[in-house]
Amino acid sequence: MNFSPATVAAMSDDALLDLVQRATLSYFWDYGHPVSGMARERDNDAFGYSPDDTVTTGGTGFGIMALIAGAERSFLVREDVIERIARIVGFLETADRFHGVFPHFLNGETGKVIPFGEKDDGGDLVETSFLVAGLLTARQWLIPARPDVAARIDRLWREVEWSHHLRADGALLWHWSPVHGFAMNHAITGWNECLITHVLAAAAPTHRVPISTYHQSWAKGRDFLNGRNYGGVTLPLGPDYGGPLFFAHYSFMGLDPRGLSDTYANYVAQNTAHALINRAHCLTNPGGFSGYGPDCWGLTASDTFDGYNAHSATNDTGVITPTAALASFPYVPREAMEALRGFLTAMDGRLFGPRGFVDAFSPGRNWVASSHLAIDQGPIVVMIENHRSALLWTLFMSAPEVLAGLSRLGFSSPHLDKVAVA
């Protein structure tokens, strides 16, 4: 799809957001696995990452939220979306689980685990938390129309054994393998994309973890507290310059950051600062990369010209990833819209197609990815929708267990003010 600058300039913001959401949804709707309905991990294996039957659990959680947004905007037929979610739930009920925890990748036809790495052939607690966040959002959406499917989702949620991943010192561990046990020994400590994992682990109606895990492990992470000033913007949490921008997106697909705070940070302030610092780095452009500017910014994890890389201000290789700016609409709407308009005409119009924007591009190398990734496409649809209507935030935050978990951990939120939390 080629857009001239004049065409883009003539389109309203709402028309452009409709265009991007509708096209990006195609990744999950038209390209969803034909058997399981799950989100395929990617639509291009130029780097030999995965075959077409590889589906992603976390990316499916994002995709479920995206499909709900599509139904609510009438981009998709509501009844069809409900049936797709029911198919996904049915697949998950019989797919490989390990103490209720799903692996990173599954075979979308057989439901068998596809190892993510040599010792990563079992439960992945972080990817499971992304999936569960999407499922809980769907549960809340489905309660009036399909209480039967909502009840099945509830069972999947209750069967996740978060406490099985507790280490003796109270840390929550990312991986468990039926062959290697906890050999990877990767503690989920902050700051990164895993706030949602800790919230759900504390919120779980069964197999809950103690609140000390959040305060004595997650919040004691090496890159948790920051407080430094970057070009006039103070960053409360995270590594130098914030790290890749997906830190501001993945946990906040469902968690509403507006007014959300605890003893460590105000989370809309955290995420807004991160987006502004990431953008400012691209405008300052200390690496002198071609193409960077107000309409071409955004560094996060994505494909690149030589594989996959977690791009950030401290790891900048000249690769711009559209999801970085576009999933930041709730935090920096004006700056994100400027990037959206720029992406439509950049690189001779090669960035936008039937499944939305390509995963990444490098103007200086004249390189454009041939791929789309579930974990990058999902946040575009979902965070644009949260910017427009707060739909996914409203649904997820209506789950009473989520509110109870936030309350236990010491959070404050306008959502908590509306209800009495046990």
Side-chain angles (χ1 to χ4, degrees):
M1 301 180 185
N2 289 316
F3 295 87
S4 70
T7 299
V8 173
M11 294 178 71
S12 69
D13 288 355
D14 278 341
L16 288 170
L17 294 176
D18 281 351
L19 173 76
V20 171
Q21 283 186 295
R22 187 189 295 269
T24 309
L25 270 171
S26 176
Y27 183 90
F28 300 99
W29 187 249
D30 299 315
Y31 188 60
H33 193 278
V35 176
S36 65
M38 298 269 286
R40 286 183 167 111
E41 190 255 339
R42 57 173 51 241
D43 66 356
N44 175 277
D45 62 355
F47 299 113
Y49 285 128
S50 61
D52 285 347
D53 277 331
T54 300
V55 297
T56 168
T57 51
T60 294
F62 298 169
I64 288 169
M65 290 184 178
L67 294 177
I68 292 170
E72 288 297 318
R73 289 215 167 261
S74 299
F75 298 152
L76 300 171
V77 177
R78 177 184 296 266
E79 291 74 18
D80 292 345
V81 171
I82 291 172
E83 289 309 310
R84 175 69 63 88
I85 293 172
R87 190 199 312 175
I88 292 170
V89 170
F91 174 79
L92 291 171
E93 287 170 334
T94 61
D96 279 350
R97 281 183 282 172
F98 306 89
H99 295 273
V101 179
F102 290 95
H104 193 129
F105 290 153
L106 288 164
N107 182 298
E109 183 171 358
T110 67
K112 297 301 181 184
V113 61
I114 295 176
F116 189 71
E118 181 185 355
K119 296 181 180 179
D120 190 358
D121 58 357
D124 183 315
L125 202 64
V126 173
E127 294 297 313
T128 295
S129 69
F130 299 152
L131 174 61
V132 167
L135 288 171
L136 286 176
T137 302
R139 186 192 70 180
Q140 298 305 106
W141 186 63
L142 289 168
I143 285 171
R146 288 293 300 272
D148 57 321
V149 181
R152 291 163 63 194
I153 290 172
D154 196 61
R155 283 194 293 272
L156 288 172
W157 153 236
R158 289 173 177 272
E159 288 168 0
V160 178
E161 296 181 27
W162 308 88
S163 56
H164 178 256
H165 281 245
L166 271 176
R167 198 166 62 187
D169 64 358
L172 200 57
L173 293 176
W174 198 306
H175 314 90
W176 181 81
S177 161
V179 177
H180 307 284
F182 290 110
M184 293 186 71
N185 200 34
H186 186 177
I188 307 171
T189 60
W191 176 251
N192 49 45
E193 72 273 30
C194 303
L195 176 62
I196 187 66
T197 311
H198 281 272
V199 170
L200 290 175
T206 55
H207 313 295
R208 179 185 309 159
V209 305
I211 61 173
S212 58
T213 296
Y214 181 79
H215 295 289
Q216 299 304 317
S217 182
W218 165 253
K220 299 294 186 184
R222 181 182 62 188
D223 289 323
F224 190 75
L225 295 177
N226 189 307
R228 295 183 289 279
N229 186 285
Y230 301 90
V233 178
T234 299
L235 183 69
L237 306 176
D240 226 12
Y241 292 89
L245 256 177
F246 70 83
F247 290 3
H249 305 148
Y250 288 4
S251 281
F252 300 96
M253 309 273 274
L255 278 177
D256 186 352
R258 300 171 304 170
L260 183 70
S261 62
D262 64 2
T263 190
Y264 308 110
N266 173 291
Y267 288 91
V268 78
Q270 162 68 26
N271 295 337
T272 301
H274 188 181
L276 289 172
I277 291 165
N278 190 288
R279 178 179 181 271
H281 166 85
C282 292
L283 270 59
T284 305
N285 193 12
F289 296 113
S290 176
Y292 282 26
D295 62 352
C296 185
W297 64 273
L299 306 175
T300 193
S302 69
D303 280 350
T304 183
F305 45 82
D306 60 356
Y308 186 84
N309 203 339
H311 311 103
S312 69
T314 57
N315 182 34
D316 186 358
T317 64
V319 173
I320 297 295
T321 305
T323 191
L326 301 183
S328 297
F329 256 101
Y331 313 127
V332 288
R334 179 181 62 82
E335 294 86 348
M337 181 57 72
E338 191 170 9
L340 188 160
R341 291 179 178 274
F343 293 155
L344 284 170
T345 58
M347 306 295 287
D348 302 318
R350 290 183 286 155
L351 302 185
F352 192 74
R355 291 178 185 160
F357 287 107
V358 297
D359 196 50
F361 64 101
S362 177
R365 292 175 176 265
N366 195 30
W367 172 82
V368 175
S370 56
S371 57
H372 305 82
L373 274 64
I375 57 172
D376 289 341
Q377 299 305 92
I380 291 173
V381 179
V382 172
M383 294 303 271
I384 285 177
E385 190 56 45
N386 280 330
H387 160 66
R388 301 181 83 177
S389 71
L391 171 68
L392 292 318
W393 286 339
T394 300
L395 286 169
F396 181 75
M397 299 294 279
S398 71
E401 308 98 312
V402 171
L403 298 180
L406 290 170
S407 180
R408 289 185 194 109
L409 294 176
F411 281 84
S412 59
S413 164
H415 296 274
L416 287 167
D417 296 341
K418 297 174 186 176
V419 296
V421 178

